[in-house]
Amino acid sequence: MSTGLVDKVTAALATVNDPEIKRPITELGMVDSVEVDGAGLAKVHVLLTVAGCPLKDTINRDVTAAVTQVPGITGVDLSLGVMTAEQRAGLKDVLSGGQAQREIPFAQPGNLTKVFAIASGKGGVGKSSVTVNLALAMAGQGLKVGVVDADIYGHSVPAMLGVADSRPTQVDDLIMPVPTPSGVSVISIGMLKPRRDQVVAWRGPMLDRALVQMLSDVYWGDLDVLLLDLPPGTGDVAISLGQHLPGAEVVVVTTPQEAAAEVAERAGTMASMMHQRVVGVVENMSYLPCPHCTAEGKDHRLEVFGSGGGDRVAQTLSSRFGYDVPVLGRIPLDISLREGGDIGKPIVESDPTAPAARELHQIASTLSGRGRGLAGMQLGLTPAARF
């Protein structure tokens, strides 16, 4: 056995990340043994976190590719095993930092992840489509992005990201978010159900526990941005979010018509009541570009659902809160936007030059580039005692 080659192979394995945890497999204790015979054949034994790991083919491919590139290696003999209960416990300690009880990392002082809750007053305004496309647009900027599908009853985000039938890997009571081809990590209550068609019929305490589990029991790693797709309205999940993540910033999605704008204002007001800052309004289904005029190079917009809803919500919330709540963007109706959601290929990737995709990219850039303001946020200060 060549000690020098073993060291080089081990160094190559350190460049291979677990596809779910996004950390080197050497750091996670997944490399059980490395041997190199006199002919240059590398024998590598890698331990999977659980039996039937859904991404074992990815690990197989990445390990083989990394070791093959080591000078002097003539072949790779890779075998896969499974961690013992003790080894999984050790892995959990590594991931949790040795903490006995999981905490919500995004609620801890000093956490640098920007958390945006995407809210709406009513269903059917395209809130989930906006969430998914913003996530992919931000990932396209090079950011590490996670999505929590907190729409407990709808939970359509996994299908829109093309991972509807995926299930998360669980290491004891620690859950790995499901990776997507775009690099976005996602978790949804739909992924935790035994069957995809099972109905979630929960009330307050169960909803609160589900939200906390998706925030604290999931290993998110170091994220730049976390997006939460909230259920419509001002119910239990919105209240729980305000209690557990008071530092989250809220984006309100509406459509142009009066009825949608009125209820969208309530969603924004609920966020403010929970001491969360509303950072802007997105007007979805804003208009339909006239196909005939577009073909002739003219800008003629058909206001299918009326106009002014986004401006009304922004103006009302700005007046009510005492700080500026801007309209972040106006997303036009687009067949590609609907089709992309149905087939799991969101428009910002499938048709990036479409007007709707360009508007979504602009909104994503605005959100990812803004600083953290203090207006409307709870600072957690208490009055000093008088002497």
Side-chain angles (χ1 to χ4, degrees):
M1 179 189 299
S2 171
T3 303
L5 276 180
V6 169
D7 292 340
K8 291 179 181 179
V9 169
T10 303
L13 291 171
T15 67
V16 178
N17 286 344
D18 179 271
E20 294 176 300
I21 305 175
K22 307 294 178 61
R23 288 170 64 173
I25 59 175
T26 50
E27 180 182 317
L28 301 175
M30 295 174 65
V31 179
D32 185 51
S33 63
V34 177
E35 297 179 3
V36 180
D37 65 17
L41 175 65
K43 297 181 179 180
V44 181
H45 187 54
V46 172
L47 300 176
L48 303 176
T49 53
V50 293
C53 175
L55 296 176
K56 65 179 180 180
D57 290 341
T58 301
I59 295 175
N60 196 329
R61 182 187 66 242
D62 292 349
V63 167
T64 301
V67 177
T68 300
Q69 294 177 9
V70 176
I73 295 300
T74 57
V76 180
D77 180 8
L78 173 63
S79 59
L80 300 177
V82 180
M83 285 185 171
T84 64
E86 292 77 14
Q87 289 169 324
R88 278 195 297 272
L91 172 61
K92 179 186 173 184
D93 287 341
V94 170
L95 298 180
S96 62
Q99 296 178 355
Q101 184 176 2
R102 292 285 293 165
E103 299 175 329
I104 298 177
F106 313 108
Q108 302 308 306
N111 187 275
L112 300 178
T113 302
K114 293 183 179 180
V115 181
F116 296 108
I118 314 300
S120 70
K122 62 191 293 291
V125 299
K127 170 181 53 60
S128 297
S129 295
V130 169
T131 302
V132 165
N133 280 283
L134 289 180
L136 294 187
M138 290 178 178
Q141 298 169 13
L143 301 177
K144 296 180 180 178
V145 183
V147 177
V148 173
D149 185 2
D151 190 348
I152 301 295
Y153 303 119
H155 46 267
S156 56
V157 167
M160 292 182 176
L161 286 169
V163 290
D165 296 319
S166 299
R167 291 292 180 268
T169 298
Q170 190 164 346
V171 179
D172 293 336
D173 56 354
L174 196 61
I175 303 169
M176 302 297 119
V178 173
T180 66
S182 61
V184 172
S185 298
V186 61
I187 198 69
S188 168
I189 197 65
M191 295 173 171
L192 306 178
K193 298 187 303 181
R195 303 189 320 275
R196 183 176 174 183
D197 62 349
Q198 183 176 347
V199 175
V200 176
W202 294 344
R203 300 185 71 178
M206 287 293 288
L207 294 174
D208 180 81
R209 174 57 192 146
L211 179 64
V212 171
Q213 182 181 26
M214 290 190 290
L215 292 171
S216 64
D217 293 349
V218 174
Y219 176 73
W220 289 103
D222 295 323
L223 294 180
D224 296 307
V225 180
L226 178 72
L227 298 174
L228 295 101
D229 181 32
L230 300 184
T234 56
D236 292 316
V237 174
I239 295 172
S240 292
L241 180 68
Q243 293 172 336
H244 298 299
L245 283 179
E249 298 180 307
V250 177
V251 175
V252 177
V253 179
T254 186
T255 48
Q257 69 262 43
E258 189 75 10
E262 182 178 352
V263 293
E265 292 168 7
R266 298 174 196 159
T269 302
M270 167 61 81
S272 181
M273 289 172 61
M274 301 308 295
H275 305 288
Q276 294 169 318
R277 180 179 175 86
V278 180
V279 296
V281 176
V282 173
E283 185 181 84
N284 195 26
M285 309 180 197
S286 188
Y287 60 90
L288 175 67
C290 175
H292 304 293
C293 296
T294 300
E296 297 176 2
K298 301 176 183 179
D299 183 17
H300 178 209
R301 301 180 176 185
L302 304 176
E303 296 176 336
V304 180
F305 295 112
S307 63
D311 289 318
R312 168 186 161 168
V313 174
Q315 291 167 5
T316 299
L317 296 182
S318 295
S319 175
R320 191 170 292 171
F321 302 156
Y323 61 84
D324 182 42
V325 179
V327 176
L328 297 170
R330 297 174 175 84
I331 304 169
L333 285 163
D334 194 315
I335 293 176
S336 296
L337 182 58
R338 190 273 303 166
E339 291 177 339
D342 286 343
I343 63 176
K345 295 181 179 179
I347 191 172
V348 295
E349 288 191 339
S350 64
D351 193 5
T353 62
R358 292 199 301 268
E359 190 72 1
L360 285 158
H361 274 291
Q362 181 271 316
I363 297 169
S365 296
T366 300
L367 289 174
S368 61
R370 65 180 302 280
R372 295 292 299 273
L374 297 179
M377 294 178 63
Q378 187 175 22
L379 299 181
L381 303 179
T382 55
R386 293 184 178 180
F387 296 96

